Amino acid sequence: MSDYPAYAPSEEHELLRRTVRELADAKIAPFAAVVDEESRFPQEALDALVAADLHAVHVPESYGGAGADALATVIVIEEVARACGSSSLIPAVNKLGTVPVLLAGGEELKKRYLGPVARGEAMFSYALS
C-alpha cells in the first residue's frame, strides 16, 4: 500500500490490472515474438482484447463503451505492453485516434464512429509527422 493513499490506484484499478495481466500472459505474450519476427499485425491480441472488452475501454458508455477513466486506460495499455509492445498499440492507438472525435466531434460523428470501435468492429488510427 502506498504511503500516500490519495494517490494509490483504487481496488477497481488493481483488479483491472490483474485481469489484463492474466489475459496478456495467457493470450498475447505467447505470440509476441512471432508477431515481431514476422512483422505482422497481432491479430491474436486484437481477438483476445475484443473478447474481453479491453480494446477501447475509454469509449464512453453512452456510445457503447466501458467508460473507463484515464488511469484504467493506461493500466490496460501498460499491461498489454508488458506482454507485447506491438500489441499495446491496439488500445493506445484506439485511444489516441478517438481523442479528436471525443473532444471536438459533433454528436452525429461520435455516434457514427465510437460505437463500432467500442464493439470491436472497427479500429482508429492517427497520423503523426
Side-chain angles (χ1 to χ4, degrees), residues 41-106:
F41 181 79
Q43 187 65 48
E44 299 87 356
L46 176 62
D47 294 344
L49 290 168
V50 168
D53 199 23
L54 293 168
H55 59 287
V57 297
H58 69 284
V59 175
E61 292 177 358
S62 56
Y63 302 104
D69 63 13
L71 181 56
T73 301
V74 170
I75 288 170
V76 170
I77 295 165
E78 180 179 67
E79 288 302 323
V80 174
R82 197 181 138 274
C84 176
S86 299
S87 297
S88 72
L89 294 175
I90 295 168
V93 173
N94 271 334
K95 168 68 175 178
L96 291 169
T98 58
V99 165
V101 174
L102 288 164
L103 294 178

Side-chain angles (χ1 to χ4, degrees), residues 23 51 57 64 96 107 110 125:
L23 174 89
V57 297
L96 291 169
E107 195 58 31
K110 290 177 183 179
S125 193

